[in-house]
Amino acid sequence: MAIHAALTHVTHYKYERPAQLSAQTIRLRPAPHCKTNVLSYSLTITPKDHFINWQQDPYANYLARVLFEDPIPEFRVEVNLVAELSVYNPFDFFLEPTYEEFGKRKFEGNLGEQLVTYLAKPTDSRIFKEYSEGVDASDQRTVDFLVNLNAKLQQDIGYTIRMEPGIQTPEETLKKRTGSCRDSAWLLIHLLRSFGFAARFASGYLIQLTPDEKSLDGPSGTDEDFTDLHAWVEVFLPGAGWIGLDPTSGLLAGEGHIPLACAPDPQFASPISGSLEDVKTEFEFDMHVDRVMGVPRISKPYSDASWHRLYDVGQEIDKKIEQNDIRLTMGGEPTFVSIDDMEGAEWNTAAVGPAKRKLSEDLLRRLWLRFGRGGFLHYGQGKWYPGESLPRWAFSCYWRKDGQPLWTDPSLLADIEKDYGFDV
């Protein structure tokens, strides 16, 4: 069962005076590989007098390149999207046999060459080496190693909201033992690469909704519906593809993780990048999420009061249907199958065949004489189904219910099986 959540994200820069901006690159559109179903999306730029060009970078991320010709007093970016948050199992994948065991895993073919950008040599500082040596690298399943490493970072690195720009180096994060989500993600990327995994930085939205029921063993999650920009890691696993790891929570990425940009280096995944002239700037940032639809689910079904209200509404509708004499009818579409070849393809799977048109016209003329005397025949285009190169044909008969004839001489209606000698 799903909840439809509407997310609004506004970033607003106000300048002391009209300022000249370079081309601004905006990476705030859900990435092509996003597992969460995004039902609608819009990006609104202020001022309206601008040029926008949608592109995809070398890593397949969507980029909006925005250009202002003249100096502008403000720069405002607003994103609105509706996401269908359906719970899915983040472990619903399989690995290639050569990658299932941590100590024996290997890239087959030239896969390693294709991933070389994401295998860049990590830092070799002393503090980093000491920490990596403390990671359990014993014989185990590859998935177990990744889960344990992700959980270890969540326990060892305290989370903090850091407003300063940029990302801490792995050394800084290990010394402080604290960092923002982007700092922990960058450290995890270095650790994964040190063990031979291809890893990339993921920037995106995180939507967290209050749970329907309190957890029996552990934290129950957020006390209110919440959303924010977030950062996590994606690791490439042959057979599974890119799998998200969130070292801030110690969990795998789920339906609330909406990736916007993924790259081997964080600088290529920043939400907005560009330059402007030196001018005093006021910065405003706002994000919120609202539930626009929530269907009943196992953990939160309709209450008894809700069922009673639904029942009362149904009774009111029934009264209005009866008062307005609304009647329901059932239509039907009879299907004709020739008894001479009931198993033939033209009567089961194929659109046309050797006998279908002739027998169909014969049936039409018999029905015409039985029900539609005084009517006329019309041969034309019928339904045209998606994916089919041509439309179906349709044989129709039209007549008046009051018996007044529309056509009086049936001999003037041609037989499609007869050659009358006419050319094009």
Side-chain angles (χ1 to χ4, degrees):
M1 298 299 183
I3 296 175
H4 291 183
L7 179 150
T8 300
H9 168 205
V10 176
T11 300
H12 194 185
Y13 304 90
K14 295 180 181 179
Y15 306 121
E16 181 183 27
R17 55 178 172 77
Q20 186 67 57
L21 274 65
S22 70
Q24 302 292 302
T25 301
I26 301 173
R27 302 177 181 89
L28 291 174
R29 177 176 168 182
H33 70 287
C34 178
K35 293 182 180 179
T36 301
N37 185 20
V38 178
L39 304 174
S40 65
Y41 172 85
S42 67
L43 174 69
T44 305
I45 307 295
T46 305
K48 293 184 178 180
D49 189 13
H50 63 266
F51 298 96
I52 185 169
N53 181 29
W54 282 101
Q55 306 171 352
Q56 280 187 283
D57 67 10
Y59 312 112
N61 302 308
Y62 291 116
L63 311 179
R65 186 177 184 274
V66 180
L67 188 63
F68 300 95
E69 284 192 340
D70 302 317
I72 57 175
E74 63 175 347
F75 177 38
R76 187 177 187 273
V77 178
E78 179 176 341
V79 171
N80 287 281
L81 65 82
V82 176
E84 180 183 348
L85 300 182
S86 297
V87 176
Y88 65 83
N89 179 7
F91 291 96
D92 186 17
F93 59 82
F94 71 92
L95 303 185
E96 294 292 351
T98 57
Y99 220 78
E100 289 181 350
E101 296 298 323
F102 170 68
K104 301 176 182 178
R105 66 199 155 80
K106 63 178 180 178
F107 292 125
E108 291 188 303
N110 63 353
L111 186 56
E113 297 175 13
Q114 299 176 52
L115 295 168
V116 65
T117 306
Y118 306 98
L119 291 162
K121 186 178 179 181
T123 179
D124 58 357
S125 65
R126 179 184 57 81
I127 189 173
F128 179 81
K129 285 184 176 180
E130 290 177 354
Y131 187 82
S132 62
E133 288 171 358
V135 174
D136 179 11
S138 60
D139 289 341
Q140 56 191 300
R141 295 170 63 243
T142 300
V143 173
D144 291 339
F145 172 82
L146 295 172
V147 168
N148 293 334
L149 176 60
N150 192 44
K152 177 177 173 59
L153 247 67
Q154 190 273 333
Q155 295 169 3
D156 293 346
I157 308 299
Y159 173 70
T160 182
I161 298 176
R162 196 170 60 80
M163 302 304 294
E164 298 86 358
I167 293 181
Q168 293 178 174
T169 65
E171 291 78 12
E172 289 178 296
T173 303
L174 288 172
K175 288 177 183 177
K176 296 178 179 179
R177 291 287 168 143
T178 61
S180 65
C181 57
R182 60 188 186 277
D183 302 322
S184 295
W186 191 224
L187 172 58
L188 179 57
I189 287 173
H190 278 259
L191 286 166
L192 288 169
R193 291 176 180 175
S194 72
F195 287 101
F197 289 94
R200 65 185 184 183
F201 187 89
S203 172
Y205 292 128
L206 176 63
I207 300 177
Q208 293 180 291
L209 303 179
T210 54
D212 298 329
E213 302 290 342
K214 293 291 185 182
S215 175
L216 297 178
D217 55 351
S220 296
T222 179
D223 293 330
E224 59 184 22
D225 295 346
F226 166 84
T227 185
D228 203 353
L229 282 169
H230 192 53
W232 60 95
V233 176
E234 290 187 351
V235 59
F236 188 85
L237 304 178
W242 292 103
I243 300 298
L245 301 173
D246 188 345
T248 301
S249 64
L251 304 174
L252 271 67
E255 69 279 357
H257 291 75
I258 301 177
L260 300 172
C262 298
D265 192 285
Q267 66 175 316
F268 302 121
S270 60
I272 302 176
S273 60
S275 61
L276 75 160
E277 62 178 301
D278 189 11
V279 60
K280 186 177 179 181
T281 304
E282 291 183 14
F283 175 71
E284 295 178 357
F285 178 85
D286 179 64
M287 286 192 69
H288 62 269
V289 64
D290 299 298
R291 301 192 191 200
V292 294
M293 189 190 86
V295 298
R297 46 204 182 278
I298 294 174
S299 58
K300 193 173 184 179
Y302 281 138
S303 65
D304 289 341
S306 295
W307 279 119
H308 285 302
R309 287 197 298 271
L310 284 171
Y311 179 79
D312 292 340
V313 170
Q315 293 295 320
E316 286 299 316
I317 292 174
D318 281 344
K319 289 179 182 177
K320 291 184 178 180
I321 287 176
E322 188 174 346
Q323 290 171 359
N324 292 280
D325 193 26
I326 300 174
R327 306 183 188 187
L328 300 179
T329 61
M330 180 182 292
E333 194 174 68
T335 301
F336 168 62
V337 176
S338 171
I339 197 172
D340 299 323
D341 183 22
M342 297 179 67
E343 302 302 323
E346 61 184 324
W347 306 110
N348 292 277
T349 58
V352 295
K356 181 178 281 189
R357 193 177 70 169
K358 183 178 185 303
L359 290 175
S360 297
E361 188 195 22
D362 179 59
L363 174 63
L364 176 73
R365 287 179 177 266
R366 288 160 61 189
L367 293 171
W368 172 38
L369 295 175
R370 174 68 177 82
F371 297 104
R373 286 186 179 273
F376 65 89
L377 304 181
H378 179 264
Y379 299 168
Q381 177 177 320
K383 296 178 180 178
W384 196 339
Y385 292 97
E388 294 190 351
S389 58
L390 293 172
R392 308 291 179 94
W393 35 256
F395 294 171
S396 306
C397 178
Y398 297 94
W399 69 93
R400 285 177 54 147
K401 292 177 67 175
D402 61 6
Q404 292 296 317
L406 297 172
W407 197 268
T408 55
D409 190 350
S411 67
L412 294 177
L413 294 174
D415 182 348
I416 61 174
E417 293 299 319
K418 183 177 180 180
D419 183 3
Y420 291 92
F422 299 115
D423 56 17
V424 174

